[in-house]
Short mmCIF file of all heavy atoms in Angstrom, two decimals:
data_model
loop_
_atom_site.label_atom_id
_atom_site.label_comp_id
_atom_site.label_asym_id
_atom_site.label_seq_id
_atom_site.Cartn_x
_atom_site.Cartn_y
_atom_site.Cartn_z
N THR A 26 0.83 -1.16 0.00
CA THR A 26 0.00 0.01 -0.05
C THR A 26 0.90 1.25 -0.01
O THR A 26 1.75 1.36 0.84
CB THR A 26 -0.88 0.05 1.26
OG1 THR A 26 -1.63 -1.23 1.36
CG2 THR A 26 -1.85 1.18 1.22
N GLU A 27 0.64 2.13 -0.92
CA GLU A 27 1.34 3.43 -0.99
C GLU A 27 0.78 4.34 0.11
O GLU A 27 -0.38 4.27 0.44
CB GLU A 27 1.17 4.13 -2.35
CG GLU A 27 1.92 3.41 -3.47
CD GLU A 27 3.39 3.51 -3.32
OE1 GLU A 27 3.93 4.53 -2.86
OE2 GLU A 27 4.08 2.47 -3.64
N PRO A 28 1.65 5.20 0.68
CA PRO A 28 1.21 6.11 1.78
C PRO A 28 0.01 6.95 1.36
O PRO A 28 -0.92 7.19 2.17
CB PRO A 28 2.43 6.97 2.05
CG PRO A 28 3.59 6.20 1.57
CD PRO A 28 3.08 5.34 0.45
N HIS A 29 -0.10 7.40 0.07
CA HIS A 29 -1.22 8.25 -0.29
C HIS A 29 -2.53 7.40 -0.35
O HIS A 29 -3.61 7.95 -0.15
CB HIS A 29 -1.00 8.95 -1.66
CG HIS A 29 -0.82 8.08 -2.84
ND1 HIS A 29 0.46 7.55 -3.17
CD2 HIS A 29 -1.72 7.59 -3.69
CE1 HIS A 29 0.27 6.79 -4.25
NE2 HIS A 29 -1.01 6.80 -4.60
N GLU A 30 -2.43 6.09 -0.63
CA GLU A 30 -3.63 5.23 -0.57
C GLU A 30 -4.07 5.08 0.88
O GLU A 30 -5.23 5.06 1.18
CB GLU A 30 -3.29 3.86 -1.13
CG GLU A 30 -3.03 3.85 -2.66
CD GLU A 30 -2.43 2.54 -3.11
OE1 GLU A 30 -2.10 1.69 -2.29
OE2 GLU A 30 -2.34 2.37 -4.36
N LEU A 31 -3.16 4.97 1.80
CA LEU A 31 -3.41 4.87 3.23
C LEU A 31 -4.08 6.11 3.68
O LEU A 31 -5.08 6.13 4.36
CB LEU A 31 -2.09 4.63 3.98
CG LEU A 31 -2.20 4.17 5.41
CD1 LEU A 31 -3.05 2.92 5.57
CD2 LEU A 31 -0.80 3.95 5.92
N ALA A 32 -3.64 7.30 3.22
CA ALA A 32 -4.14 8.63 3.54
C ALA A 32 -5.63 8.70 3.07
O ALA A 32 -6.49 9.21 3.74
CB ALA A 32 -3.34 9.77 2.96
N ARG A 33 -5.87 8.18 1.86
CA ARG A 33 -7.19 8.21 1.30
C ARG A 33 -8.15 7.44 2.19
O ARG A 33 -9.27 7.83 2.47
CB ARG A 33 -7.25 7.67 -0.12
CG ARG A 33 -8.55 7.79 -0.83
CD ARG A 33 -8.54 7.09 -2.21
NE ARG A 33 -8.30 5.67 -1.98
CZ ARG A 33 -7.37 5.03 -2.67
NH1 ARG A 33 -6.59 5.63 -3.57
NH2 ARG A 33 -7.15 3.71 -2.42
N ASP A 34 -7.74 6.24 2.67
CA ASP A 34 -8.53 5.40 3.56
C ASP A 34 -8.86 6.09 4.87
O ASP A 34 -9.91 5.97 5.48
CB ASP A 34 -7.89 4.09 3.82
CG ASP A 34 -7.78 3.20 2.56
OD1 ASP A 34 -8.46 3.48 1.58
OD2 ASP A 34 -6.95 2.23 2.57
N ILE A 35 -7.86 6.77 5.39
CA ILE A 35 -7.95 7.39 6.72
C ILE A 35 -8.77 8.71 6.71
O ILE A 35 -9.38 9.08 7.68
CB ILE A 35 -6.56 7.65 7.30
CG1 ILE A 35 -5.86 6.33 7.48
CG2 ILE A 35 -6.58 8.43 8.58
CD1 ILE A 35 -4.33 6.44 7.70
N ARG A 36 -8.82 9.35 5.58
CA ARG A 36 -9.41 10.67 5.43
C ARG A 36 -10.83 10.75 5.98
O ARG A 36 -11.29 11.79 6.50
CB ARG A 36 -9.40 11.05 3.95
CG ARG A 36 -9.60 12.52 3.73
CD ARG A 36 -9.39 12.86 2.27
NE ARG A 36 -9.67 14.26 2.04
CZ ARG A 36 -9.43 14.88 0.95
NH1 ARG A 36 -8.89 14.21 -0.07
NH2 ARG A 36 -9.73 16.16 0.82
N SER A 37 -11.58 9.61 6.00
CA SER A 37 -12.97 9.64 6.37
C SER A 37 -13.10 9.91 7.92
O SER A 37 -14.18 10.30 8.34
CB SER A 37 -13.63 8.32 6.08
OG SER A 37 -13.03 7.22 6.85
N VAL A 38 -12.04 9.69 8.67
CA VAL A 38 -12.13 9.98 10.13
C VAL A 38 -11.41 11.29 10.57
O VAL A 38 -11.32 11.54 11.76
CB VAL A 38 -11.64 8.75 10.91
CG1 VAL A 38 -12.50 7.52 10.70
CG2 VAL A 38 -10.13 8.48 10.71
N VAL A 39 -10.90 12.00 9.60
CA VAL A 39 -10.21 13.23 9.97
C VAL A 39 -11.18 14.38 9.95
O VAL A 39 -11.89 14.50 8.97
CB VAL A 39 -9.04 13.49 8.95
CG1 VAL A 39 -8.31 14.79 9.29
CG2 VAL A 39 -8.00 12.35 8.94
N GLY A 40 -11.14 15.17 10.98
CA GLY A 40 -12.06 16.32 11.10
C GLY A 40 -11.72 17.35 9.98
O GLY A 40 -10.69 17.32 9.34
N GLU A 41 -12.60 18.29 9.88
CA GLU A 41 -12.47 19.37 8.83
C GLU A 41 -11.15 20.09 8.90
O GLU A 41 -10.54 20.30 7.87
CB GLU A 41 -13.62 20.35 9.00
CG GLU A 41 -13.76 21.26 7.81
CD GLU A 41 -14.95 22.17 8.04
OE1 GLU A 41 -16.08 21.58 8.20
OE2 GLU A 41 -14.87 23.42 8.04
N LYS A 42 -10.59 20.39 10.06
CA LYS A 42 -9.34 21.09 10.16
C LYS A 42 -8.33 20.17 10.70
O LYS A 42 -7.22 20.65 11.21
CB LYS A 42 -9.53 22.29 11.04
CG LYS A 42 -10.48 23.33 10.51
CD LYS A 42 -10.48 24.61 11.32
CE LYS A 42 -11.54 25.54 10.88
NZ LYS A 42 -11.39 26.25 9.68
N GLY A 43 -8.43 18.84 10.60
CA GLY A 43 -7.52 17.90 11.17
C GLY A 43 -6.27 17.72 10.33
O GLY A 43 -6.21 18.15 9.20
N VAL A 44 -5.33 16.99 10.89
CA VAL A 44 -4.06 16.66 10.25
C VAL A 44 -3.76 15.26 10.42
O VAL A 44 -4.04 14.59 11.47
CB VAL A 44 -2.95 17.58 10.85
CG1 VAL A 44 -2.73 17.30 12.31
CG2 VAL A 44 -1.61 17.39 10.08
N MET A 45 -3.28 14.61 9.34
CA MET A 45 -2.75 13.24 9.39
C MET A 45 -1.23 13.37 9.41
O MET A 45 -0.65 14.14 8.70
CB MET A 45 -3.13 12.48 8.14
CG MET A 45 -4.50 12.03 8.04
SD MET A 45 -4.81 11.05 6.50
CE MET A 45 -5.46 12.39 5.46
N VAL A 46 -0.65 12.65 10.34
CA VAL A 46 0.85 12.62 10.45
C VAL A 46 1.23 11.21 10.09
O VAL A 46 1.05 10.25 10.88
CB VAL A 46 1.24 12.98 11.95
CG1 VAL A 46 2.77 12.98 12.00
CG2 VAL A 46 0.69 14.38 12.30
N ILE A 47 1.84 10.99 8.89
CA ILE A 47 2.19 9.70 8.44
C ILE A 47 3.66 9.47 8.37
O ILE A 47 4.41 10.25 7.69
CB ILE A 47 1.58 9.49 7.02
CG1 ILE A 47 0.06 9.69 7.07
CG2 ILE A 47 1.95 8.09 6.49
CD1 ILE A 47 -0.69 9.50 5.74
N GLU A 48 4.19 8.51 9.11
CA GLU A 48 5.58 8.13 9.06
C GLU A 48 5.73 7.06 8.01
O GLU A 48 4.95 6.07 7.98
CB GLU A 48 6.02 7.64 10.44
CG GLU A 48 7.50 7.49 10.62
CD GLU A 48 7.91 7.17 12.01
OE1 GLU A 48 7.30 7.63 12.92
OE2 GLU A 48 8.96 6.49 12.11
N HIS A 49 6.75 7.27 7.16
CA HIS A 49 6.90 6.31 6.02
C HIS A 49 8.36 6.32 5.55
O HIS A 49 9.09 7.26 5.90
CB HIS A 49 5.96 6.65 4.88
CG HIS A 49 6.14 8.09 4.39
ND1 HIS A 49 6.97 8.38 3.35
CD2 HIS A 49 5.54 9.28 4.74
CE1 HIS A 49 6.88 9.71 3.12
NE2 HIS A 49 6.06 10.24 3.94
N PRO A 50 8.76 5.26 4.82
CA PRO A 50 10.09 5.24 4.30
C PRO A 50 10.31 6.48 3.36
O PRO A 50 9.40 6.81 2.59
CB PRO A 50 10.21 3.96 3.44
CG PRO A 50 9.07 3.05 3.99
CD PRO A 50 7.96 4.01 4.46
N SER A 51 11.47 7.06 3.41
CA SER A 51 11.71 8.26 2.53
C SER A 51 11.57 7.97 1.07
O SER A 51 11.28 8.91 0.31
CB SER A 51 13.10 8.85 2.84
OG SER A 51 13.13 9.37 4.14
N ARG A 52 11.74 6.71 0.64
CA ARG A 52 11.62 6.40 -0.77
C ARG A 52 10.17 6.49 -1.29
O ARG A 52 9.91 6.69 -2.47
CB ARG A 52 12.11 4.99 -1.04
CG ARG A 52 11.29 3.87 -0.47
CD ARG A 52 11.79 2.52 -0.82
NE ARG A 52 10.94 1.52 -0.21
CZ ARG A 52 11.00 1.04 1.05
NH1 ARG A 52 11.87 1.53 1.83
NH2 ARG A 52 10.17 0.14 1.43
N ASN A 53 9.16 6.49 -0.33
CA ASN A 53 7.78 6.65 -0.70
C ASN A 53 7.42 8.14 -0.66
O ASN A 53 7.67 8.75 0.37
CB ASN A 53 6.84 5.87 0.28
CG ASN A 53 7.07 4.40 0.21
OD1 ASN A 53 7.85 3.87 0.87
ND2 ASN A 53 6.26 3.75 -0.67
N VAL A 54 6.87 8.62 -1.70
CA VAL A 54 6.44 10.05 -1.82
C VAL A 54 4.96 10.11 -1.70
O VAL A 54 4.26 9.33 -2.33
CB VAL A 54 6.98 10.71 -3.10
CG1 VAL A 54 6.46 12.09 -3.20
CG2 VAL A 54 8.49 10.60 -3.17
N ILE A 55 4.42 11.03 -0.92
CA ILE A 55 2.98 11.22 -0.80
C ILE A 55 2.56 12.45 -1.66
O ILE A 55 3.04 13.54 -1.52
CB ILE A 55 2.53 11.43 0.67
CG1 ILE A 55 2.82 10.22 1.48
CG2 ILE A 55 1.06 11.77 0.76
CD1 ILE A 55 2.38 10.37 2.96
N ASN A 56 1.67 12.11 -2.59
CA ASN A 56 1.13 13.20 -3.43
C ASN A 56 -0.35 12.96 -3.45
O ASN A 56 -0.88 12.30 -4.36
CB ASN A 56 1.70 13.15 -4.83
CG ASN A 56 1.69 11.86 -5.50
OD1 ASN A 56 1.22 10.86 -4.92
ND2 ASN A 56 2.15 11.76 -6.71
#
């Protein structure tokens, strides 16, 4: 799973002004 796919799955529980803090290998880029 790419980090941006994970972010998409998690987005449903993030509040309107919320922040996701994702730790990942530097080789993976989140866009």
Side-chain angles (χ1 to χ4, degrees):
T26 306
E27 288 294 323
H29 64 272
E30 294 169 349
L31 195 54
R33 186 187 60 231
D34 293 345
I35 296 165
R36 196 172 178 173
S37 67
V38 298
V39 178
E41 193 175 303
K42 297 188 189 284
V44 61
M45 283 182 265
V46 181
I47 302 179
E48 191 171 328
H49 57 91
S51 292
R52 71 179 180 276
N53 295 90
V54 177
I55 296 182
N56 52 358

